[in-house]
Amino acid sequence: DKNVRGTFMLSAPRMFDDFDEKLKTLTTLNYDFGNHTSFHNYLGDWSYSEIYQEVNWTQDMIYKKTGQTTKYFRAPYFKVSQYLSDALSDMVFIEGTTSSDTSNDVTAQASAQAHLDQAKDGNIILLHDNSKLGETLEILIPELLNRGYVICTVDELFEYKNVDAKSGYVYTNVLNPKPVD
């Protein structure tokens, strides 16, 4: 649906040559992108310099592949700490409602239903690019639209809700951020 867009949190392996055409298409359709690290590593015991290099390399790749810069970051494994926030003080941490969609035991129907059960004004929905994504979206999108929700990029969500995205917080819902601890 051309009226439905989202934000893709990219890790570097997805940005190599086999994904180039998808990225070009998504960029043309005005999707947004966020940073999900180079290789999806746990960053908690890395030095500030190592964290910066890991994230900056992905920032550079996102820019080279899409022409976009991003301020959004999703920490691998949702491992957010004050240390990580301090190291990435210019980034806005995004999480989102989850559905365990990476588990083989969770069907597309179950994933969609989990998000529908959590649906709330201002929520960010987290889905993974896997074999059940298309089917999950076919269930989820029409039902969310039927319920009156607007499906948009993270940037648009902050704008629609008139919220200034700030570092030092983790956003699953733009209206109810949680301070990094």
Side-chain angles (χ1 to χ4, degrees), residues 2-34:
K2 292 179 183 166
N3 295 318
V4 173
R5 289 188 319 280
T7 300
F8 285 80
M9 304 304 282
L10 299 173
S11 57
R14 297 297 306 187
M15 292 184 281
F16 294 137
D17 292 336
D18 63 328
F19 199 62
D20 270 0
E21 288 307 311
K22 283 184 183 178
L23 280 174
K24 287 177 188 172
T25 300
L26 293 170
T27 301
T28 301
L29 295 172
N30 295 317
Y31 283 75
D32 283 345
F33 304 96

Side-chain angles (χ1 to χ4, degrees), residues 71-85:
K71 62 184 173 190
Y72 300 115
F73 179 77
R74 186 166 90 69
Y77 313 106
F78 298 117
K79 299 293 184 187
V80 175
S81 65
Q82 189 60 54
Y83 180 80
L84 185 60
S85 181

Side-chain angles (χ1 to χ4, degrees), residues 9-160:
M9 304 304 282
L10 299 173
S11 57
R14 297 297 306 187
M15 292 184 281
F16 294 137
D17 292 336
D18 63 328
F19 199 62
D20 270 0
E21 288 307 311
K22 283 184 183 178
L23 280 174
K24 287 177 188 172
T25 300
L26 293 170
T27 301
T28 301
L29 295 172
N30 295 317
Y31 283 75
D32 283 345
F33 304 96
N35 189 319
H36 193 35
T37 71
S38 297
F39 294 99
H40 204 269
N41 294 312
Y42 170 67
L43 305 175
D45 54 357
W46 291 26
S47 72
Y48 276 19
S49 175
E50 290 169 324
I51 292 168
Y52 178 80
Q53 288 175 343
E54 170 82 2
V55 172
N56 194 51
W57 190 83
T58 306
Q59 293 288 78
D60 289 346
M61 286 290 290
I62 291 170
Y63 184 77
K64 285 177 189 173
K65 300 287 185 171
T66 70
Q68 292 185 21
T69 57
T70 182
K71 62 184 173 190
Y72 300 115
F73 179 77
R74 186 166 90 69
Y77 313 106
F78 298 117
K79 299 293 184 187
V80 175
S81 65
Q82 189 60 54
Y83 180 80
L84 185 60
S85 181
D86 290 346
L88 301 173
S89 61
D90 59 339
M91 302 293 287
V92 175
F93 286 57
I94 300 297
E95 286 191 2
T97 63
T98 62
S99 65
S100 301
D101 64 344
T102 57
S103 170
N104 291 331
D105 297 335
V106 175
T107 65
Q109 176 65 41
S111 176
Q113 191 59 54
H115 286 294
L116 292 169
D117 291 346
Q118 299 174 77
K120 188 163 98 174
D121 187 32
N123 270 4
I124 297 167
I125 295 174
L126 170 64
L127 294 165
H128 291 88
D129 185 11
N130 58 33
S131 62
K132 55 190 145 191
L133 178 62
E135 186 180 348
T136 301
L137 291 172
E138 287 177 13
I139 299 164
L140 188 58
I141 290 171
E143 184 56 30
L144 287 172
L145 293 173
N146 186 49
R147 293 182 184 188
Y149 290 103
V150 173
I151 301 172
C152 59
T153 67
V154 170
D155 228 15
E156 291 169 334
L157 183 58
F158 279 106
E159 186 179 321
Y160 290 156

